[in-house]
Amino acid sequence: MHHESLSIRTDGRGLIDMTREVSRRVTQSGIRSGLCHVFIHHTSASLLIQENADPSVQRDLERILARLIPDGDPLFEHDMEGPDDMPAHVRSAITQTTLTIPVADGRLALGTWQGIYLWEHRHRPHQRHLTVTLQGS
C-alpha cells in the first residue's frame, strides 16, 4: 500500500481537472494492477469523475447546483463565513468526498471521456488537501 499527499490550489468555485496529478502518482508508485483511492480532507469541496472533453458539462453542473442550492438561501442558519458557507457544505454532502478508480497496466482505468475533478464549492480561493492511496501489485 502506498499513501501520498496532494495539495491543489483553487481559484474559487468551479471544477479543477486533477487527472494528471493523480495519474502521475499511479505511475510513480510502480503499481501495475490494483486500486487508486482519492480522499479530500474538506467539507466544502468534493471530488467527481466527469466528462473531460466538453467544458459546457462543467458549466451545466455548476448551474444546476446553483439552482438547487443557492447562496444566501434564508433556509440556512450556518453562514459564519458568508452566504456561500452552508451551500458549500450541502454541495459537498450531495456529491463525493472519495473516489476509487481501478488501476490496470500501471494506469488509471478511466473511460475515454472521464476525468478526475476537484469541485471547489466556495467562492474564494483555497488550498485543498487530498490523500491518494494506492493498493495493488
Side-chain angles (χ1 to χ4, degrees):
M1 191 170 309
H2 177 81
H3 295 282
E4 196 164 326
S5 295
L6 176 59
S7 184
I8 306 251
R9 179 87 181 148
T10 71
D11 292 328
R13 187 171 278 174
L15 289 104
I16 298 161
D17 188 345
M18 50 183 253
T19 311
R20 284 190 181 138
E21 289 85 355
V22 177
S23 293
R24 187 175 315 119
R25 280 150 180 85
V26 170
T27 302
Q28 292 170 348
S29 75
I31 290 174
R32 303 286 307 150
S33 178
L35 295 173
C36 174
H37 184 265
V38 184
F39 173 79
I40 189 163
H41 296 262
H42 300 278
T43 60
S44 56
S46 58
L47 302 170
L48 72 155
I49 293 175
Q50 195 46 256
E51 159 90 42
N52 65 2
D54 184 353
S56 69
V57 171
Q58 297 171 24
R59 292 189 299 271
D60 288 344
L61 287 168
E62 188 56 53
R63 278 194 291 273
I64 192 65
L65 280 192
R67 180 180 289 175
L68 294 172
I69 313 158
D71 291 339
D73 190 320
L75 172 73
F76 300 131
E77 179 180 346
H78 179 75
D79 64 357
M80 293 175 65
E81 296 178 54
D84 68 339
D85 194 357
M86 191 61 208
H89 294 296
V90 174
R91 287 166 167 248
S92 180
I94 67 170
T95 53
Q96 302 172 76
T97 56
T98 66
L99 297 173
T100 301
I101 305 116
V103 174
D105 296 323
R107 298 177 37 204
L108 292 169
L110 291 167
T112 302
W113 308 113
Q114 289 182 319
I116 302 169
Y117 291 88
L118 184 155
W119 197 347
E120 176 61 66
H121 299 305
R122 300 301 304 269
H123 283 292
R124 66 180 176 84
H126 282 81
Q127 191 74 26
R128 298 303 190 177
H129 303 285
L130 302 96
T131 298
V132 178
T133 302
L134 294 149
Q135 184 174 11
S137 54

